[in-house]
């Protein structure tokens, strides 16, 4: 859970995009955050306080006082680790720019001692009005963060700029901007992920079943622990990661080798890519036409990227590889550890249920020169955090 123990306050204002605040709330709770809600009177027309109260398991603050009891806006402003104004309407934006305080949401905002993130939602013409743009710039000068609006279908029926960012984008933005830890601060980590595609002709390729999920999860985990992350990845359909992760897209084993060598100044390297061991010796320049009952393609060995990196290991560098095995798992993994001059091998067995290619879970055994440790079957992100913690203990402690 990326937000365990974090306290987040969502300020909701009057905009049709307020329905997305329910989804945002759920996403933040799912990541372990405690969420409280404060909303304007206009926001109540778009989203029910009852729904928000049930989902947040907290009382929703709607007014200065309720049943003769004062809502302590100062305490609420000081309670939060982060306040998120989502959606931020044109009207509340103007109030934030001027410091107006005519409702409890503004009182909480003005009392907040934590960072404030705003996710504006407006129709395109309003969004482009110079007064709005000036207010956006002005609230930034107060130290507020503003998530860019999206382009798409608007409440007016028009298509254009001004849509509130999607809840997933807001979650990712706030995790990336406010809740990364410093464990790997100043450390560059290179990770490889995915399959490679080796061309046979302009239409076909030889590939494999790797989804890239484990490598992407590792990139995410290292990034959230403060590392500078370079992810060299083969083709995949995975959703984009945090903007701060440097992604290098490659297709072939040769391109992966070149990209990895270029980035090999990284202090930590984890090769999780399923690099093709063989490539077509002479890919056809034109489409191979159907003829005869059999077709022979001559394959040529590719260079082993990890072996190369291990042989050229720099002083103090930590190199980890994966081993995907179907038989003699441990013996083969230990052989790779020595042959490729690695610090450790993360062994996946295709015989384990829930482990390996294209699953969302994995089962990994960490093998290094001192010990062997099997992690319980878990989500790939969870496994990634455990592997990152293992590497932190080896490299940083
Ligand atoms: N690897 C690599 N370059 C290759 C082949 C593999 O960098 N051309 C890396 C993988 O990223 C992985 C490790 O080497 O970290 C082991 O890969 P694996 O496919 O399990 O084994 P191979 O070394 O290719 O040997 P084999 O296919 O015979 O098991």
């Amino acid at each position: 859970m990326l937000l365990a123990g974090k306290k987040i306050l969502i300020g909701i204002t009057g905009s049709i995009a307020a329905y997305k605040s329910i989804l945002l709330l759920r996403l933040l709770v799912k990541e372990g955050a405690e969420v409280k809600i404060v909303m304007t009177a206009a926001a109540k027309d778009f989203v029910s306080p009852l729904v928000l109260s049930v989902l947040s398991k907290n009382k929703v603050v709607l007014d200065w006082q309720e049943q003769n009891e004062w809502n302590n806006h100062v305490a609420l402003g000081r309670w939060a680790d982060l306040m998120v104004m989502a959606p931020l309407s044109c009207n509340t934006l103007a109030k934030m720019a001027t410091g107006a305080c005519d409702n409890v949401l503004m009182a909480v905002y003005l009392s907040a001692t934590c960072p404030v993130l705003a996710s504006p939602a407006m129709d395109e013409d309003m969004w482009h009005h110079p007064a709005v743009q000036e207010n956006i710039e002005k609230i930034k000068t107060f130290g507020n963060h503003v998530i860019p609006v999206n382009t798409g279908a608007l409440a007016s029926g028009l298509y254009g700029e001004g849509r509130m960012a999607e809840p997933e984008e807001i979650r990712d933005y706030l995790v990336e901007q406010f809740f990364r830890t410093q464990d790997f601060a100043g450390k560059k980590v290179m990770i490889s992920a995915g399959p490679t595609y080796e061309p046979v002709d302009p239409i076909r390729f030889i590939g494999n079943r790797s989804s890239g999920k484990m490598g992407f999860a590792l990139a995410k985990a290292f990034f959230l622990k403060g590392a500078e992350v370079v992810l060299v990845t083969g083709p995949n359909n995975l959703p984009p990661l945090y903007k701060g992760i440097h992604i290098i897209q490659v297709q072939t084993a040769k391109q992966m080798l070149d990209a990895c060598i270029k980035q090999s100044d990284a202090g930590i390297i984890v090769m999780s890519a399923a690099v093709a061991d063989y490539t077509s010796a002479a890919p056809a320049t034109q489409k191979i036409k159907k003829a005869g009952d059999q077709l022979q393609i001559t394959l040529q060995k590719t260079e082993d990227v990890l072996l190369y990196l291990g042989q050229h290991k720099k002083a103090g560098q930590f190199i980890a590889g994966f081993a995907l095995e179907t038989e003699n798992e441990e013996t083969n993994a230990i052989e790779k550890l020595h042959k490729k001059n690695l610090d450790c091998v993360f062994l996946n067995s295709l015989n384990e249920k829930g482990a390996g290619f294209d699953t969302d879970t994995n089962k990994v055994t960490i093998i290094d020169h001192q010990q062997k440790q099997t992690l319980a079957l878990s989500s790939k992100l969870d496994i990634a955090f455990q592997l990152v913690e293992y590497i932190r203990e080896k490299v940083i402690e």
Side-chain angles (χ1 to χ4, degrees), residues 117 145-148 169-178:
L117 174 63
H145 298 248
V146 178
I147 302 191
E169 291 175 301
I170 300 176
R171 175 203 55 199
D172 288 353
Y173 186 99
L174 70 84
V175 168
E176 172 167 2
Q177 294 296 321
F178 303 105

Side-chain angles (χ1 to χ4, degrees), residues 192 253 256 270-278 302-307 309 320-325 332 336 339-340 342:
S192 71
M256 183 157 284
V270 184
M271 280 293 295
S272 77
V275 189
D277 291 330
Y278 292 89
T302 58
E303 176 135 14
D304 187 315
V305 184
L306 188 56
L307 178 66
L309 295 172
F322 271 78
L324 181 74
E325 307 293 343
N332 288 338
K336 284 172 190 169
K339 186 175 149 207
K340 302 196 188 193
L342 308 178

Side-chain angles (χ1 to χ4, degrees), residues 213 354 358-362 378-381:
K213 285 178 185 168
D358 217 14
T359 55
D360 286 323
T361 53
N362 207 358
S378 193
S379 75
K380 284 188 173 167
L381 188 59

Side-chain angles (χ1 to χ4, degrees), residues 149-175:
V149 293
N150 284 341
T151 299
L154 300 166
S156 58
L158 298 173
Y159 182 93
E161 235 183 305
R163 268 176 76 88
M164 183 172 109
E166 293 305 317
E168 290 80 3
E169 291 175 301
I170 300 176
R171 175 203 55 199
D172 288 353
Y173 186 99
L174 70 84
V175 168

